[in-house]
Amino acid sequence: MAEKVVIIGSGPAAWTAALYLARAGLKPFVFSGFQSGGIPGGQLMITGEVENYPGFPMGITGRELMKSMEEQARRFGTRVTGEDVIDIDLSKRPFLVRGTSTNIDTHTVIIATGANAKRLDVKGSKELWNRGISACAVCDGALPIFRNKELVVVGGGDTACEEALFLTRFGSKVHLLVRKNEMRASKIMQDRVLTSSKIEVHFQHEIMEIVGKNMVEKLRLKDSGKNEERELPAGGLFYAIGHQPNTGFLKGQLPLDETGYIQVKPGSSYTSIEGVFAAGDVCDKRYRQAITAAGMGCMAALDAESFLSHKAL
Ligand code: NDP
């Protein structure tokens, strides 16, 4: 017999959807695997302290938060396999979700596989990850280690501008490194950055190496305009070079936007296929917060529940 609902993912969107559906008695089945390049538990597993998730006045680590969310979802009857989803067949009903060893027929699917922030592939990037390097200024910028330091943001898009502006509240100065001689960000964001007295924009600059013993201390840069190398002190480094949504396993089954994100009907979790819902960073390139992903997971659960009851499934 087909399942009522399968959830693919294991971040805040997936566990919140599972919690709501389990409490509604729908016994959701979760594939919490690696999701084509992601990590189980999602991006929170690679962040340190989470200070902006409401309800934890003293903060909580990303890992603890994900563990608690999973426990809460399981408590009400969520079933979980750690398997990866290899592919999915949405061309027939019930849908078929194929894991590495389990195949499941299901009337509805909630896709909550998240996205991964891209990281620079330079010397020091792996070694100093989470030691002064972050891919989310809004998540980590307020941490004490970044206070009153010279901070560096890499990227030339809207995210880079937004993060640089956000970091001016905490750092003594913010450097924005843009690899081309122009930014890709919207004009208004560029103007804000270029007129900020605390931000210095370095066009045509790329990072060659991130240097530091235990924490990021400085960067070795290439100034391709002048064709010379130089060093920049850095008390923190923030990547804002784009995200990659984990949608590879869909293999053309669901229309995606030009950057690979699932498109949902605004204000809902509806995708273009009835009975298939999406939640969290896999369909959100704008907010990308744990709390917004959790909220979207709740929306997807309510949408799936309503779909099932209308179809009397
Ligand atoms: P984008 O893909 O728009 O920009 C990524 C930036 O990173 C580009 O400037 C790119 O440079 C640069 N980059 C990529 N790889 C490297 C690298 N290896 N080294 C150095 N620089 C690199 O991503 P965003 O996250 O900024 O934005 C994604 C989408 O979300 C956009 O559509 C944006 O408009 C939207 N957004 C909207 C916001 C809002 O409305 N408030 C806020 C945030 C995002 P290059 O230009 O040279 O390719």
Side-chain angles (χ1 to χ4, degrees):
M1 210 174 70
E3 294 286 342
K4 288 191 191 302
V5 52
V6 164
I7 298 166
I8 311 173
S10 53
W15 294 128
T16 306
L19 171 64
Y20 272 74
L21 290 161
R23 290 193 74 250
L26 293 170
K27 297 191 171 62
F29 190 93
V30 176
F31 279 89
S32 71
F34 279 70
Q35 320 308 346
S36 312
I39 47 162
Q43 295 185 88
L44 280 168
M45 301 298 278
I46 49 162
T47 49
E49 196 74 6
V50 180
E51 292 183 333
N52 56 5
Y53 199 90
F56 301 93
M58 303 313 293
I60 181 168
T61 66
R63 280 172 186 273
E64 278 177 70
L65 183 60
M66 285 305 91
K67 195 166 156 266
S68 305
M69 283 194 190
E70 179 175 350
E71 268 172 30
Q72 196 175 355
R74 282 182 186 263
R75 189 181 140 211
F76 295 99
T78 298
R79 293 159 301 149
V80 182
T81 171
E83 279 177 46
D84 240 358
V85 171
I86 305 299
D87 58 31
I88 180 166
D89 186 353
L90 303 175
S91 65
K92 60 178 178 65
R93 289 174 198 271
F95 307 124
L96 173 66
V97 180
R98 239 189 306 262
T100 39
S101 54
T102 311
N103 291 348
I104 292 198
D105 290 320
T106 178
H107 295 300
T108 62
V109 182
I110 295 177
I111 301 169
T113 45
N116 290 332
K118 293 182 191 160
R119 300 188 197 177
L120 280 185
D121 184 19
V122 296
K123 196 164 172 223
S125 180
K126 263 200 198 109
E127 298 82 346
L128 293 166
W129 176 252
N130 261 342
R131 295 165 180 260
I133 307 180
S134 158
C136 179
V138 178
C139 321
D140 300 329
L143 293 175
I145 54 164
F146 297 122
R147 298 272 165 145
N148 301 313
K149 302 258 179 71
E150 286 201 32
L151 304 176
V152 179
V153 178
V154 194
D158 281 324
T159 303
C161 292
E162 214 168 59
E163 303 224 325
L165 289 162
F166 182 78
L167 290 171
T168 57
R169 299 180 207 172
F170 312 107
S172 56
K173 178 170 183 175
V174 179
H175 300 271
L176 180 60
L177 305 180
V178 181
R179 67 180 173 183
K180 291 190 183 137
N181 60 1
E182 59 183 4
M183 282 189 250
R184 191 193 288 205
S186 53
K187 168 105 177 48
I188 188 167
M189 294 302 282
Q190 290 193 34
D191 288 347
R192 281 188 197 151
V193 160
L194 291 165
T195 55
S196 165
S197 58
K198 281 185 87 176
I199 301 176
E200 187 178 347
V201 183
H202 307 263
F203 288 101
Q204 294 183 286
H205 274 69
E206 283 188 68
I207 297 178
M208 313 278 289
E209 184 183 352
I210 304 160
V211 185
K213 268 204 184 120
N214 292 316
M215 294 290 290
V216 174
E217 289 163 19
K218 61 183 180 184
L219 307 174
R220 209 157 60 73
L221 303 180
K222 178 160 189 214
D223 178 344
S224 47
K226 291 186 183 155
N227 203 18
E228 61 186 30
E229 287 184 17
R230 68 186 183 94
E231 289 189 345
L232 183 70
L237 173 62
F238 294 84
Y239 296 155
I241 57 174
H243 283 73
Q244 188 64 48
N246 295 320
T247 48
F249 71 98
L250 291 169
K251 296 172 189 158
Q253 291 279 316
L254 197 60
L256 306 173
D257 77 2
E258 68 289 352
T259 47
Y261 284 84
I262 297 175
Q263 286 175 302
V264 290
K265 193 173 152 221
S268 80
S269 66
Y270 292 108
T271 69
S272 50
I273 298 180
E274 233 195 348
V276 180
F277 307 91
D281 289 14
V282 76
C283 57
D284 169 29
K285 59 174 92 163
R286 177 159 185 188
Y287 299 105
R288 298 191 295 240
Q289 300 300 302
I291 186 69
T292 50
M296 291 164 84
C298 167
M299 288 162 66
L302 298 179
D303 286 342
E305 199 185 334
S306 147
F307 173 85
L308 288 165
S309 91
H310 275 103
K311 299 275 175 192
L313 290 167

